[in-house]
């Protein structure tokens, strides 16, 4: 009688294990290439914004992926901003939905996803950014090698940037 109970218990545990393992949903992986709109295969940073859109920093600008198509954003000849190159190293999102990026030359820019425009930070001096820190209330701090800290504030009403140096 004891062996029948042991066999029944073993059968019950096996059924529970099978059900819990088979209850996992299947995973699908999709590979995107240049044919799909991803123009650069080297991705240095990724970000999922508050709306669920994926952003990729590449050696050829930033790419927005809405789940169906890629949109490429980069500086071009005749651009009015001083984006020194399109090799982007890091991307971040602030509380207002702007995308902040640091490029290969260690310069920092703000990208407006609503207009598709890049914006220089309003800092008059020459700097090389070490790290970029976005705080929850909208302030941005940039560490530099020679210039100390650069503090950038976004006006909550009109989103105009101001910068000051803490050296």
């Amino acid at each position: 009688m004891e062996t029948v109970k042991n066999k029944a218990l073993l059968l019950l545990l096996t059924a529970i294990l099978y059900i819990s393992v088979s209850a996992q949903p299947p995973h699908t992986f999709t590979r995107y290439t240049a044919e799909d709109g991803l123009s650069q295969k080297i991705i240095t940073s990724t970000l999922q914004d508050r709306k669920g859109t994926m952003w990729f920093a590449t050696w050829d600008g930033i790419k927005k992926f809405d789940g169906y198509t890629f949109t490429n954003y980069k500086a071009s000849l005749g651009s009015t901003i001083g984006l020194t190159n399109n090799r982007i190293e890091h991307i971040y999102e602030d509380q207002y939905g702007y995308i902040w990026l640091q490029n290969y030359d260690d310069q920092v820019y703000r990208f407006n996803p609503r207009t598709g425009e890049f914006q220089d930070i309003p800092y008059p001096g020459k700097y090389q950014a070490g790290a970029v820190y976005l705080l929850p209330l909208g302030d941005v701090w940039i560490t530099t090698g020679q210039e100390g800290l650069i503090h950038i504030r976004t006006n909550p009403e009109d989103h105009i940037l101001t910068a000051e140096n803490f050296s």
Side-chain angles (χ1 to χ4, degrees), residues 16-58:
I16 291 172
L17 181 63
Y18 175 76
I19 291 170
S20 66
V21 169
S22 65
Q24 299 298 319
H27 297 288
T28 304
F29 293 95
T30 304
R31 180 179 176 191
Y32 294 100
T33 64
E35 289 101 26
D36 303 303
L38 187 59
S39 65
Q40 176 54 245
K41 67 180 178 179
I42 298 174
I43 296 173
T44 56
S45 182
T46 60
L47 166 75
Q48 184 174 15
D49 69 15
R50 287 174 176 79
K51 296 178 182 178
T53 303
M54 294 298 299
W55 294 87
F56 302 96
T58 73

Side-chain angles (χ1 to χ4, degrees), residues 111-123:
F111 175 75
N112 185 339
R114 295 170 285 287
T115 64
E117 296 176 347
F118 294 94
Q119 179 183 5
D120 289 317
I121 63 167
Y123 185 73

Side-chain angles (χ1 to χ4, degrees), residues 61 73-76 79-88 101-103 105 107-109 118 120:
Y73 299 98
K74 62 183 180 178
S76 57
S79 176
T80 58
I81 64 148
L83 187 61
T84 52
N85 68 58
N86 287 312
R87 185 172 168 180
I88 310 302
L101 52 108
Q102 181 179 1
N103 73 355
D105 292 341
Q107 300 297 298
V108 177
Y109 302 89
F118 294 94
D120 289 317

